[in-house]
């Protein structure tokens, strides 16, 4: 395994504010983000609030040559909104969905539907195993009367648990995301002190960006000043965190944030500022292959594992089709319930068809029918939501499996998977499922 | 850190079938299980389907002297049903809830309400870091037409992901539970081949138990023969799995299962058979402190972490009280809705109060009121379920935090936390929250 003494890794993190029809200039901003990422060529790009998979796919196509490796983390009703793009091959991914995430009936806050989570990707950078995490915690809608505080504290707790327990074998740990917490907030302290993660804004040798490293600023076009009260100038709630290990040290040489507007563009990238950290990795001891004991697996075992995984993918796909059919049935039944209700109301609205007060039976029927329609609508709505969540989970598992099969097949073919510097040079097809698995 | 050459670890696993009012002789069987565990003094006891926390607490009291360390994993509406009892101190716990777990409307199957999960506990056994996992996968209700197959495959996938990613730092890995899969089933193969876990039934040097290691047998009093068709004698779906690492080897010297009836008792312990595996741990290289980099943390940092954790616990407790109040309000509103409905039906049932056909307004009111009552009942029912899940998640986090504070405080006091053999001899109070945290 290669042992580089010193490698530079540029990490980018941005909350993309990608709510179509609600976020302003969404498509235009994605275009700007795509162009900037193409140009800047960061090693690791961590995005949050990429709520629409279409936007992820748009970026995936746009970044195919600069960032051939990517993963979109699916969860909840809408999705986790988390995405990662990397120059280096992603060997493995895993998602942990927070057990608490707001309330479904607080639909205007929307957090519950997003299925907030922390996504992990294992990368090999210059012979070092890097565990990269991207996350987005529950928003703070009111600092004075924060009804989600306990949820966010539990999320911070689960985040540190997940990072701590999954990163034991890693040489370096990199975490990026929108924590929705100020640096001195309880959850932040919990996360930092328990994991030993360091804040790149605090640790950086040089900084260029907003005052106090703020990432939600009053100078941003999309920010209403009222939101920020009592923090007039802004707040810092987005972070890039890192830590090394006994095998590798990690430093932050330079950090920057955008400052609201983007030079040469009429719009900012998002309502949040983008963060870039230039990290320097120094490997101390010849790096151990910490990421997987399967590295030593003989070829026939690997082939067997690929077969098993392929079988599992097929089974998950069967489940996917089944869930899709169920969701379709729920939607169709819902539409029929709605049609029935409309028809009934139309009949009632037309006076000549109106039910006479002398006919007790039709009147009862009318109300019973209306009640039935509402019951159908409610039930099918709940079922639709549920099947959407099921679909997301199945798709998420299938994505993880596809990535794993790709990694294993590459190993089987004798590709130098553990050799890191080749990865970025390889064509993006290596990441495309079609090239990895003919049954796709 | 102590470096033992050879340690014997006895592991026990049982699906307790603890559904009060539905499972037969539930309390009597828990009494039998408690007595047997007291007598047998296994090092690690992994239980599934301990659906009621009361039963866990009953066992906790019963096993206070033999198994001073325990953890109950909370999740979902009812709970995960998972519990661990150990002679050795539990340093850390973590729970991963499967993203898929059946359907809420399949209430008669009940799996969705259980919130199936995999629980992890980190133990220190003779200087070796042991990651112990207990899990219970979705049941297979029909082998021919298994509508949950994709869910179970995804669960097996997530289980292997969780084990693989969280056990990198472990010297030995022990997994016990009811996988609800036959040895050659897809999910089993996926789990075993990806993680490299070994099946103690296959690996054991000596075996005493049911034919083919079966754990759901026709000879069990509680099993109806029809359930097992086409497997007349029974099936093997419960497992104890293990694997070593570069620092420690692990072997299975002896394995046994119960055989339906229990000598000297009129009843079996459960509808599943209990498994016992005698594992032998051989440490090769002086064990590294793999489980936590916080071991090197200086005292003031530890104290700060304890303070932060205590603050987090307080915040979670505030959330707990709030969720309890909300659930109470939902329940009270539901009861009021029900009372209103009963009152309305009573009025309608008494002829002298019956609404005349000539009064169109009261008749409309009658149906509208009934619809309102049903809407209240449904909404409050859903809210009650939701708040129960929220409560379980908050309680789960609080439990994990309490355990962590205990472990940290012990370290702070200069107790020999890393010295394993002292742990079992310590009084059970070490595990009691009251002794660890005065604010409990």
């Amino acid at each position: 395994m290669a042992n580089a003494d010193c490698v530079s890794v540029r990490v980018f993190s941005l909350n993309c504010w990608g709510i179509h029809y609600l976020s302003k200039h969404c498509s235009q901003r994605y275009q700007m983000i795509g162009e900037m990422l193409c140009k800047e060529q960061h090693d690791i790009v961590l995005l949050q609030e990429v709520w629409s998979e279409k936007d992820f796919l748009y970026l995936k196509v746009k970044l195919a040559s600069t960032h051939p490796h990517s993963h979109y983390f699916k969860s909840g009703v809408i999705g986790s909104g988390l995405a990662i793009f990397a120059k280096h091959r992603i060997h493995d991914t895993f998602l942990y969905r927070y057990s608490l995430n707001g309330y479904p009936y607080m639909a205007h806050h929307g957090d519950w539907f997003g299925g907030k989570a922390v996504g992990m990707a294992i990368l090999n950078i210059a012979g070092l195993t890097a565990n990269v995490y991207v996350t987005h915690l529950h928003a703070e809608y009111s600092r004075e009367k924060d009804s989600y505080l306990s949820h966010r504290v539990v999320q911070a707790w689960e985040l540190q648990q997940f990072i701590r327990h999954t990163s034991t074998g890693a040489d370096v740990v990199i975490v990026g995301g929108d924590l929705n917490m100020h640096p001195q907030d309880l959850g932040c302290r919990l996360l930092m002190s328990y994991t030993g993660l360091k804040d790149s804004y605090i640790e950086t040798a040089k900084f260029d960006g907003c005052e106090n490293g703020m990432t939600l600023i009053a100078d941003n076009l999309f920010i209403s000043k009222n939101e920020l009260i009592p923090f007039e100038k802004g707040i810092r709630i987005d972070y890039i965190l890192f830590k090394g290990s006994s095998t590798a040290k990690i430093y932050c040489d330079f950090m920057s944030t955008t400052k609201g507007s983007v030079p040469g563009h009429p719009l900012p990238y998002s309502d949040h500022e983008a963060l870039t950290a230039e990290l320097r990795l120094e490997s101390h001891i010849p790096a151990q292959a910490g990421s997987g004991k399967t590295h030593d697996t003989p070829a026939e075992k690997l082939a067997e594992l690929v077969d098993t995984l392929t079988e599992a993918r097929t089974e998950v796909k069967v489940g996917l089709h089944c869930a899709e059919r169920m969701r379709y049935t729920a939607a169709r039944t819902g539409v029929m319930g709605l049609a029935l209700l409309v028809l009934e109301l139309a009949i009632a609205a037309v006076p000549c068809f109106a039910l006479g007060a002398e006919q007790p039976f039709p009147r009862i029927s009318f109300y019973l029918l209306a009640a039935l329609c509402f019951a159908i609508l409610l039930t099918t709505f709940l079922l639709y939501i549920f099947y959407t969540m099921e679909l997301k989970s199945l798709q998420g598992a299938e994505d993880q499996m596809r990535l794993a099969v790709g990694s294993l097949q590459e190993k089987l073919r004798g590709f130098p998977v553990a050799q890191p510097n080749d990865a970025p040079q390889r064509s993006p097809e290596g990441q495309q499922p079609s090239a990895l698995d003919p049954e796709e």
Side-chain angles (χ1 to χ4, degrees), chain A residues 353-366:
Chain A
F353 291 143
L355 308 164
E358 294 76 35
Q359 293 170 288
F361 180 74
R363 185 172 284 258
I364 295 172
S365 311
F366 181 83

PDB file of all heavy atoms in Angstrom, chain A residues 353-366:
ATOM      1  N   PHE A 353     -80.886  18.065  -8.351  1.00  0.00           N
ATOM      2  CA  PHE A 353     -80.514  16.739  -7.867  1.00  0.00           C
ATOM      3  C   PHE A 353     -80.432  16.681  -6.340  1.00  0.00           C
ATOM      4  O   PHE A 353     -80.131  15.646  -5.766  1.00  0.00           O
ATOM      5  CB  PHE A 353     -79.164  16.310  -8.434  1.00  0.00           C
ATOM      6  CG  PHE A 353     -79.200  16.044  -9.919  1.00  0.00           C
ATOM      7  CD1 PHE A 353     -78.120  16.381 -10.725  1.00  0.00           C
ATOM      8  CD2 PHE A 353     -80.318  15.454 -10.503  1.00  0.00           C
ATOM      9  CE1 PHE A 353     -78.151  16.123 -12.086  1.00  0.00           C
ATOM     10  CE2 PHE A 353     -80.349  15.191 -11.867  1.00  0.00           C
ATOM     11  CZ  PHE A 353     -79.266  15.534 -12.659  1.00  0.00           C
ATOM     12  N   ALA A 354     -80.611  17.844  -5.723  1.00  0.00           N
ATOM     13  CA  ALA A 354     -80.432  17.913  -4.269  1.00  0.00           C
ATOM     14  C   ALA A 354     -81.381  16.951  -3.571  1.00  0.00           C
ATOM     15  O   ALA A 354     -82.494  16.719  -4.021  1.00  0.00           O
ATOM     16  CB  ALA A 354     -80.696  19.333  -3.782  1.00  0.00           C
ATOM     17  N   LEU A 355     -80.908  16.428  -2.464  1.00  0.00           N
ATOM     18  CA  LEU A 355     -81.691  15.436  -1.743  1.00  0.00           C
ATOM     19  C   LEU A 355     -82.771  16.149  -0.957  1.00  0.00           C
ATOM     20  O   LEU A 355     -82.493  17.092  -0.213  1.00  0.00           O
ATOM     21  CB  LEU A 355     -80.767  14.663  -0.806  1.00  0.00           C
ATOM     22  CG  LEU A 355     -79.530  14.080  -1.527  1.00  0.00           C
ATOM     23  CD1 LEU A 355     -78.477  13.691  -0.519  1.00  0.00           C
ATOM     24  CD2 LEU A 355     -79.929  12.909  -2.387  1.00  0.00           C
ATOM     25  N   GLY A 356     -83.977  15.700  -1.122  1.00  0.00           N
ATOM     26  CA  GLY A 356     -85.102  16.321  -0.425  1.00  0.00           C
ATOM     27  C   GLY A 356     -85.035  16.058   1.067  1.00  0.00           C
ATOM     28  O   GLY A 356     -84.522  15.030   1.500  1.00  0.00           O
ATOM     29  N   ALA A 357     -85.502  17.007   1.820  1.00  0.00           N
ATOM     30  CA  ALA A 357     -85.482  16.858   3.273  1.00  0.00           C
ATOM     31  C   ALA A 357     -86.427  15.756   3.715  1.00  0.00           C
ATOM     32  O   ALA A 357     -86.319  15.222   4.801  1.00  0.00           O
ATOM     33  CB  ALA A 357     -85.883  18.170   3.932  1.00  0.00           C
ATOM     34  N   GLU A 358     -87.363  15.382   2.828  1.00  0.00           N
ATOM     35  CA  GLU A 358     -88.346  14.344   3.178  1.00  0.00           C
ATOM     36  C   GLU A 358     -87.770  12.936   3.022  1.00  0.00           C
ATOM     37  O   GLU A 358     -88.385  11.971   3.427  1.00  0.00           O
ATOM     38  CB  GLU A 358     -89.618  14.477   2.303  1.00  0.00           C
ATOM     39  CG  GLU A 358     -90.418  15.757   2.543  1.00  0.00           C
ATOM     40  CD  GLU A 358     -89.751  16.942   1.893  1.00  0.00           C
ATOM     41  OE1 GLU A 358     -89.154  16.776   0.811  1.00  0.00           O
ATOM     42  OE2 GLU A 358     -89.788  18.035   2.487  1.00  0.00           O
ATOM     43  N   GLN A 359     -86.616  12.845   2.370  1.00  0.00           N
ATOM     44  CA  GLN A 359     -86.068  11.508   2.165  1.00  0.00           C
ATOM     45  C   GLN A 359     -84.984  11.228   3.211  1.00  0.00           C
ATOM     46  O   GLN A 359     -83.846  11.662   3.040  1.00  0.00           O
ATOM     47  CB  GLN A 359     -85.435  11.416   0.777  1.00  0.00           C
ATOM     48  CG  GLN A 359     -86.473  11.504  -0.355  1.00  0.00           C
ATOM     49  CD  GLN A 359     -85.786  11.651  -1.685  1.00  0.00           C
ATOM     50  OE1 GLN A 359     -85.250  12.717  -1.956  1.00  0.00           O
ATOM     51  NE2 GLN A 359     -85.784  10.622  -2.487  1.00  0.00           N
ATOM     52  N   PRO A 360     -85.329  10.556   4.285  1.00  0.00           N
ATOM     53  CA  PRO A 360     -84.316  10.384   5.333  1.00  0.00           C
ATOM     54  C   PRO A 360     -83.164   9.484   4.870  1.00  0.00           C
ATOM     55  O   PRO A 360     -82.026   9.715   5.192  1.00  0.00           O
ATOM     56  CB  PRO A 360     -85.078   9.751   6.480  1.00  0.00           C
ATOM     57  CG  PRO A 360     -86.389   9.284   5.934  1.00  0.00           C
ATOM     58  CD  PRO A 360     -86.570   9.824   4.567  1.00  0.00           C
ATOM     59  N   PHE A 361     -83.436   8.473   4.081  1.00  0.00           N
ATOM     60  CA  PHE A 361     -82.368   7.537   3.710  1.00  0.00           C
ATOM     61  C   PHE A 361     -81.252   8.179   2.892  1.00  0.00           C
ATOM     62  O   PHE A 361     -80.103   8.101   3.261  1.00  0.00           O
ATOM     63  CB  PHE A 361     -82.940   6.308   3.015  1.00  0.00           C
ATOM     64  CG  PHE A 361     -81.867   5.334   2.630  1.00  0.00           C
ATOM     65  CD1 PHE A 361     -81.248   4.556   3.606  1.00  0.00           C
ATOM     66  CD2 PHE A 361     -81.446   5.214   1.310  1.00  0.00           C
ATOM     67  CE1 PHE A 361     -80.239   3.685   3.263  1.00  0.00           C
ATOM     68  CE2 PHE A 361     -80.435   4.343   0.964  1.00  0.00           C
ATOM     69  CZ  PHE A 361     -79.827   3.578   1.944  1.00  0.00           C
ATOM     70  N   PRO A 362     -81.578   8.879   1.784  1.00  0.00           N
ATOM     71  CA  PRO A 362     -80.509   9.499   0.998  1.00  0.00           C
ATOM     72  C   PRO A 362     -79.647  10.477   1.812  1.00  0.00           C
ATOM     73  O   PRO A 362     -78.447  10.555   1.602  1.00  0.00           O
ATOM     74  CB  PRO A 362     -81.257  10.209  -0.121  1.00  0.00           C
ATOM     75  CG  PRO A 362     -82.532   9.457  -0.237  1.00  0.00           C
ATOM     76  CD  PRO A 362     -82.878   9.033   1.140  1.00  0.00           C
ATOM     77  N   ARG A 363     -80.310  11.189   2.746  1.00  0.00           N
ATOM     78  CA  ARG A 363     -79.538  12.138   3.557  1.00  0.00           C
ATOM     79  C   ARG A 363     -78.483  11.398   4.384  1.00  0.00           C
ATOM     80  O   ARG A 363     -77.325  11.814   4.454  1.00  0.00           O
ATOM     81  CB  ARG A 363     -80.483  12.917   4.460  1.00  0.00           C
ATOM     82  CG  ARG A 363     -79.805  14.011   5.251  1.00  0.00           C
ATOM     83  CD  ARG A 363     -80.799  14.848   5.964  1.00  0.00           C
ATOM     84  NE  ARG A 363     -81.472  15.759   5.043  1.00  0.00           N
ATOM     85  CZ  ARG A 363     -81.171  17.064   4.939  1.00  0.00           C
ATOM     86  NH1 ARG A 363     -80.224  17.569   5.701  1.00  0.00           N
ATOM     87  NH2 ARG A 363     -81.800  17.827   4.112  1.00  0.00           N
ATOM     88  N   ILE A 364     -78.903  10.299   5.000  1.00  0.00           N
ATOM     89  CA  ILE A 364     -77.948   9.489   5.772  1.00  0.00           C
ATOM     90  C   ILE A 364     -76.838   9.006   4.847  1.00  0.00           C
ATOM     91  O   ILE A 364     -75.648   9.126   5.147  1.00  0.00           O
ATOM     92  CB  ILE A 364     -78.663   8.275   6.408  1.00  0.00           C
ATOM     93  CG1 ILE A 364     -79.689   8.757   7.424  1.00  0.00           C
ATOM     94  CG2 ILE A 364     -77.657   7.348   7.099  1.00  0.00           C
ATOM     95  CD1 ILE A 364     -80.576   7.670   7.982  1.00  0.00           C
ATOM     96  N   SER A 365     -77.268   8.502   3.678  1.00  0.00           N
ATOM     97  CA  SER A 365     -76.293   7.990   2.707  1.00  0.00           C
ATOM     98  C   SER A 365     -75.287   9.077   2.355  1.00  0.00           C
ATOM     99  O   SER A 365     -74.086   8.829   2.244  1.00  0.00           O
ATOM    100  CB  SER A 365     -76.973   7.528   1.428  1.00  0.00           C
ATOM    101  OG  SER A 365     -78.043   6.708   1.740  1.00  0.00           O
ATOM    102  N   PHE A 366     -75.814  10.298   2.184  1.00  0.00           N
ATOM    103  CA  PHE A 366     -74.946  11.399   1.803  1.00  0.00           C
ATOM    104  C   PHE A 366     -73.809  11.581   2.807  1.00  0.00           C
ATOM    105  O   PHE A 366     -72.637  11.635   2.443  1.00  0.00           O
ATOM    106  CB  PHE A 366     -75.780  12.682   1.692  1.00  0.00           C
ATOM    107  CG  PHE A 366     -74.975  13.875   1.269  1.00  0.00           C
ATOM    108  CD1 PHE A 366     -74.714  14.109  -0.072  1.00  0.00           C
ATOM    109  CD2 PHE A 366     -74.466  14.749   2.223  1.00  0.00           C
ATOM    110  CE1 PHE A 366     -73.950  15.196  -0.469  1.00  0.00           C
ATOM    111  CE2 PHE A 366     -73.697  15.839   1.832  1.00  0.00           C
ATOM    112  CZ  PHE A 366     -73.456  16.065   0.479  1.00  0.00           C
TER     113      PHE A 366
END
